[in-house]
Structure formats: structure tokens, C-alpha cells
Amino acid sequence: MPFVFLFPAMALLAIFKVFPALFAIYISLFRWDVIQGAFRGLDNYADILWANPTRAEAFWRAMSTTFTYVLITIPLEMGLALVIAYVLFQRLRGRTFYRTAYYLPYVTSTVAAATVFVWIFHPQFGLLNAGLGLVGISGLTWLQEPDGVFQMIGRAVGLDVPGWAAGPSLALVSIAIFSIWHFLGFQIVIFLSGLGNIPEEYYEAARLDGASGRQLFTNITLPLLSPQIFFVFTIATIGVFRAFNEIYVFTFPPLLGGPLDTTRTLNVLVFRTFFQQGQIGLGSALGVILTLLILAFTVIQFRVLERRVVYQ
Amino acid sequence: MRNIWKHAVLIFAALLVAYPFYYMVTTAFKNMMPAEATLIPNFVMMTRLFRPNDPTRIVDGYLVQILPFIATAFSIFLLRQQFLGFPKELKDAARIDGAGDVRFLWSVVLPNSVSTLVTVAIIGFLASWNAFQWPLIMTSRPDIQPVQIGLNAFRGEAGSSYHLLMAAAAFVVAPVVALYLVGQRYLVQGVARTGIRG
């Protein structure tokens, strides 16, 4: 009897999840430009990693962009979320309102939200430059700016920053700002649920021993929140690996991943290779690499999740 | 409208599959494949099986947007979590009273799982309302394209008329905001328990 119940969803999962995962590997072993071509073995992977200079350059550049994106987004986002969650947890007046307000961006679609941010980041009519104009900063072109941020700061104070230290492009930083705004509420909710699980007695005992507010935070809150912190870290990293919609909306097809390819993450490169260039075999190989990257973090995350889940 | 049907099917399929998991071997069916892993093969599969001029209109129609997402490992996982909470005695009691599996599912499990089902439904709705990449590569006819694609296309038409563009974005966001304000509890519950990130 159970198998009768199982069948419909199992069949669909098999057709659209399990089979495609294997099919993706199969495709990646062939020359496959729109239609299936000759068997290439692992040559597609070799091309991507080192054998074909153009492909390899694009791949390693995308890898570096992806990890830069992770690096400029995750620490700031997690730090902000932690602080806001901690403040919201202290019986703040109207905290339900704040929680709703912070969480709202997370449920809105990335396409709609990014459309609004296209305007906010607009060099002439945008909200951001209007605001910065009041404090005397003007002329930033945000999403259209391929120059590195350190390079730009250096230029502003009259320092010549070498090319290797140029930093992420302002365009990538703009996307990171959007990403932080959009996903902050999710992290706050997770942190709040973690904070709710810490027994009040611990704080009381520490207070009796004369611990300061800061000591309470670093010696009780942080260690007891570490499962949530770790969990949020893996989820957020996976989220950045998977980012596509916002980059698509911000940089738009002919320039997808622009300006000057500075926002072309691995997932965007996959899309460009298989869809825009029609190189399905190569694209699939790139996709397999991206999947392995995501799976590595998923495995870590499942470990954490297993410990967190409470079976009644 | 199609979305509502899709979710009726989605919940039903998830319900059917989560139920036996409660009794079967406890090793979870962990389907960890991210959407990125299946994007290209699903694209190849769908475009190969069904030609663009296919009279059944599977590609570049509604079905292509619905089929791959009917059964989601996520909703199965969420419901399974919920069903694990049911005591085995309840099942035995129902059997003694002469209720079979279907009856038990319908009369005991279902009424007690409403909040989880609502969570699954809301999250499923958000996922299809916000769908972008898959319809982007699979559809080309405006009359069957979902709202996010329409909004993106409208950017080209609106040009620098930002007031029009903002109005369009507001229309796209409004139902989600309304749903969120009504079903906030369920949504936050589901997210906190499983950690999905859109």
C-alpha cells in the first residue's frame, strides 16, 4: 500500500530530478552544440580548467568573481543580521513591526526588487546619488562601473592603487548591497529562533556573577548561537553561488555579467555558455562543477540541520 | 489560476508521498539536487521531446512550467517532519476502528496537518509567482509567460519612464505582500524550520 501512495511523486522526482542529474553528466561528456555531437570524454572539463585558454580564463575569472561576491556579502550580511536580531530580541517596542519590515524584502521577487534598485542605483535620477549628493559625493555610476572600489578610493585620495589591489568592481559591490538588503530578513528570522532557544537562566546566573552586557553576548549568546551561525553561513553561501535573477536584471543580456565581465559569477557563466552561446556540452560541464560546489556546502548544511531538527 | 491548480496537485502529491514515509524505513529521501543541476538537462529533455511547433504546446506552454515542479523534495521533507510527530498508537486505534490507510490519511492525518499544509502552499505559491529562470529559457509567447518575465520585458518598453516601471513592480509585489501579511506565521515557521533561501 505505501508504494501506491509513493508512486506519483516518486515518478515525478525520478523524471525531473534524479534522471536529469545523471543526464547532465552524460551531456557534459559530449560536444553538444544545440544538437548532440561527438563523444569527448572529459575534454570539456579539461577545456574549462586549463586546456582551452579562453574557456579556462573565463572560468577562473568567474570563480574568482563568485568567491569575491561571497566575501563581500556574507560577513557583512551575517554581522548586520546578528546585531539586528539581538536588538529585536530585547523586548523592543514594536518589534513585531520591525520583524515584518525586515522580512518583507525576502519574500518579494528578486526581479521586482532589482527593478526598483535599478532606479535607486541610477547615476542621474537615482535615489542613492541624490542622497550622496547632499554630503558632497557625486558622479558614482554604481551598476555601470567596472573599476575596483579600492582603486576608486585610492583615486579619490590621490593614491595610485596597483591593478592587483583594485578590489571588486563597484558594480559587483552594488549587487552585493542589493543582495544584503534582500536576504537580511531571512537571517534575522533564523537568529531570532536561535536566540529564543537560549535558556534565560544562563543570563541570570551570569548577571549575578557580575557579567557585563558585552560579556553576556560574547560568552553566552555567541557560543550558544553557533549552530544557527554556521547554518546561516552555509545557506547564504549557497544562495550566493546560485544568484542569477538579480544579476540578470541588473546587467541585462547582451552585457550579462558586465560591465567588463566583472559581475559574471559561475552561475551566470553557465547560463551564458549553454543558453546564449548554445554550447550545451560545455555549459553542462560548468553546471556539474557548480553543482559539486553547491553540494559540498549542502552536505555540510545537512549535518548542521540534522542536529538542529527536533523529533518530538 | 493555473498556479492554484498547480498547488492543489503539488500538495496532493506531497501529501501522498509524505504519509508512507512515516511508516517506512526512517532513512530520509534526501533529494539534495539544486535546481542548477537539473536546469540544462531538463532544458535539453523538454526541447528534444517536444518540438517548438508541437501542437500539444508542451514546450512554450503551461505544462512545461508546471511539470518539473509538481513534486518537490522540499514539501515532502516538510510534511515528513510533521508526520513524524504522530504517535503510532493513533494509527493502531484507527485500524481497530476499521479505518484503512486512505481513511486514516483523510480523517486523522489531514485535519492535524493543516498548518504545515498551509506553509507548503504559501512557499509553493511564492516559488511559482517568483519563477524566472526556467520560464525565461522555456517560453517565448507573452500570453503564457509568468509575471516576472513580463515585468522584465516591460523594462525595455518603459525606458526611462521610471514612474511606470515602479507602478509595474508594485503590481507584481502587491499579491506577495498581501499574502505575507496574512500568512506570515506559517511562512516564517516553515523558513525557520527548514531554511530555504529563494
Side-chain angles (χ1 to χ4, degrees), chain A residues 81-90 192 195 203 213 216-217 221:
Chain A
L82 199 55
V83 169
I84 294 172
Y86 197 62
V87 171
L88 284 183
F89 195 67
Q90 319 293 323
L192 276 175
L195 287 171
Y203 290 106
L216 290 181
F217 185 75
T221 312

Side-chain angles (χ1 to χ4, degrees), chain A residues 1-2 5-6 8-10 12-13 15-17 19-21 23-24 27 32 36 77 99-100 103-104 106-109 111-112 115-116 118-119 122 125 183 186-187 189-190 231 235-236 239 242 244-245 248-249 252 267 270-271 274-275 280 283-284 290-291 294-295 298-299 302 305-306 308-309 311-312, chain B residues 13 16-17 19-21 24 29-46 48 67-68 70-73 76-77 80-81 84-85 101-102 105 126 130 132-133 136-137 148 151-152 155 160 162 165-166 169 172-173 176-177 180-181 184 187-188 191-198:
Chain A
M1 191 63 187
F5 285 127
L6 269 171
M10 282 301 248
L12 282 164
L13 281 178
I15 296 169
F16 292 106
K17 284 276 175 192
F19 168 71
F23 191 37
I27 295 171
W32 199 308
Q36 189 171 5
E77 190 177 341
R99 186 148 45 174
T100 309
Y103 196 71
L104 200 51
Y106 177 68
V107 292
T108 60
S109 81
V111 178
T115 304
V116 177
V118 166
W119 168 69
H122 196 284
F125 321 116
F183 293 113
F186 165 77
Q187 301 198 351
V189 165
I190 303 285
F231 173 72
I235 289 268
R242 304 181 61 179
F244 174 80
N245 295 2
Y248 185 91
V249 171
F252 233 50
N267 199 9
V270 171
F271 182 82
F274 106 91
F275 194 67
I280 296 177
S284 202
L290 175 64
T291 305
I294 294 172
L295 279 184
T298 314
V299 169
F302 260 99
L305 193 69
E306 248 159 36
R308 273 185 75 236
V309 170
Y311 292 85
Q312 289 115 326
Chain B
L16 283 180
V17 96
Y19 171 68
F21 268 113
M24 282 175 56
F29 176 67
K30 281 179 197 145
N31 199 317
M32 304 191 297
M33 280 301 140
E36 284 67 27
T38 53
L39 181 75
I40 299 176
N42 275 349
F43 169 79
V44 173
M45 204 160 80
M46 294 310 244
R48 249 186 146 194
L67 276 177
I70 290 180
T72 63
I76 295 170
F77 173 76
R80 179 176 174 272
Q81 287 301 110
L84 279 173
D101 283 315
V102 180
L105 176 61
L126 286 180
N130 294 346
F132 184 68
Q133 195 183 29
L136 181 73
I137 63 171
Q148 308 298 337
L151 177 64
N152 189 54
R155 286 179 56 209
S160 54
Y162 281 94
L165 204 53
M166 293 305 113
V172 170
V173 166
V176 172
V177 172
Y180 169 62
L181 294 179
Q184 188 180 7
L187 193 69
V188 173
V191 167
R193 225 185 310 163
T194 56
I196 45 144
R197 183 175 160 125

Side-chain angles (χ1 to χ4, degrees), chain A residues 9-310:
Chain A
M10 282 301 248
L12 282 164
L13 281 178
I15 296 169
F16 292 106
K17 284 276 175 192
V18 182
F19 168 71
L22 302 172
F23 191 37
I25 298 170
Y26 175 81
I27 295 171
S28 73
L29 302 177
F30 285 83
R31 177 182 301 281
W32 199 308
D33 316 330
V34 187
I35 55 157
Q36 189 171 5
F39 181 73
R40 295 197 74 205
L42 293 173
D43 282 357
N44 280 337
Y45 292 94
D47 277 0
I48 289 164
L49 293 172
W50 73 86
N52 180 328
T54 329
R55 295 279 171 205
E57 206 257 313
F59 171 74
W60 291 110
R61 180 117 194 248
M63 282 293 269
S64 128
T65 305
T66 309
F67 281 97
T68 311
Y69 187 12
V70 169
L71 230 70
I72 55 181
T73 311
I74 308 295
L76 195 59
E77 190 177 341
M78 286 180 65
L80 268 176
L82 199 55
V83 169
I84 294 172
Y86 197 62
V87 171
L88 284 183
F89 195 67
Q90 319 293 323
R91 311 253 163 267
L92 189 76
R93 266 175 68 108
R95 67 182 205 161
T96 338
F97 168 77
Y98 286 115
R99 186 148 45 174
T100 309
Y102 279 118
Y103 196 71
L104 200 51
Y106 177 68
V107 292
T108 60
S109 81
T110 37
V111 178
T115 304
V116 177
F117 268 75
V118 166
W119 168 69
I120 290 179
F121 283 130
H122 196 284
Q124 278 127 45
F125 321 116
L127 189 67
L128 204 52
N129 269 3
L132 286 175
L134 297 178
V135 293
I137 302 171
S138 63
L140 292 179
T141 48
W142 301 108
L143 290 164
Q144 287 132 43
E145 183 58 67
D147 285 354
V149 281
F150 298 144
Q151 193 183 357
M152 292 174 72
I153 294 170
R155 214 185 294 138
V157 296
L159 270 171
D160 196 25
V161 176
W164 56 266
S169 75
L170 185 59
L172 189 64
V173 172
S174 307
I175 294 178
I177 292 171
F178 167 81
S179 178
I180 291 172
W181 170 82
H182 195 253
F183 293 113
L184 196 62
F186 165 77
Q187 301 198 351
I188 292 174
V189 165
I190 303 285
F191 284 144
L192 276 175
S193 79
L195 287 171
N197 289 336
I198 303 175
E200 186 58 31
E201 291 80 29
Y202 294 177
Y203 290 106
E204 276 166 23
R207 259 187 230 110
L208 283 177
D209 290 344
S212 68
R214 195 201 163 127
Q215 281 174 320
L216 290 181
F217 185 75
T218 51
N219 293 332
I220 297 178
T221 312
L222 272 187
L224 288 175
L225 208 58
S226 58
Q228 279 78 22
I229 294 174
F230 193 50
F231 173 72
V232 160
F233 168 73
T234 53
I235 289 268
T237 309
I238 293 170
V240 170
F241 287 153
R242 304 181 61 179
F244 174 80
N245 295 2
E246 54 269 46
I247 302 177
Y248 185 91
V249 171
F250 282 141
T251 64
F252 233 50
L255 296 169
L256 187 57
L260 298 184
D261 303 353
T262 55
T263 63
R264 186 168 295 149
T265 61
L266 190 51
N267 199 9
V268 175
L269 182 67
V270 171
F271 182 82
R272 180 179 154 82
T273 310
F274 106 91
F275 194 67
Q276 293 184 303
Q277 301 181 328
Q279 306 271 4
I280 296 177
L282 271 168
S284 202
L286 282 168
V288 170
I289 295 172
L290 175 64
T291 305
L292 289 178
L293 211 59
I294 294 172
L295 279 184
F297 276 83
T298 314
V299 169
I300 301 170
Q301 177 215 322
F302 260 99
R303 290 270 157 82
V304 181
L305 193 69
E306 248 159 36
R307 255 186 286 146
R308 273 185 75 236
V309 170
V310 181

Side-chain angles (χ1 to χ4, degrees), chain B residues 84-129:
Chain B
L84 279 173
F86 280 98
K88 219 168 171 66
E89 291 76 26
L90 218 57
K91 170 75 181 159
D92 298 334
R95 173 148 291 158
I96 290 165
D97 288 345
D101 283 315
V102 180
R103 181 70 200 272
F104 181 64
L105 176 61
W106 183 254
S107 313
V108 180
V109 176
L110 196 66
N112 285 301
S113 310
V114 172
S115 84
T116 310
L117 287 171
V118 172
T119 304
V120 169
I122 291 181
I123 289 173
F125 172 80
L126 286 180
S128 34
W129 183 261

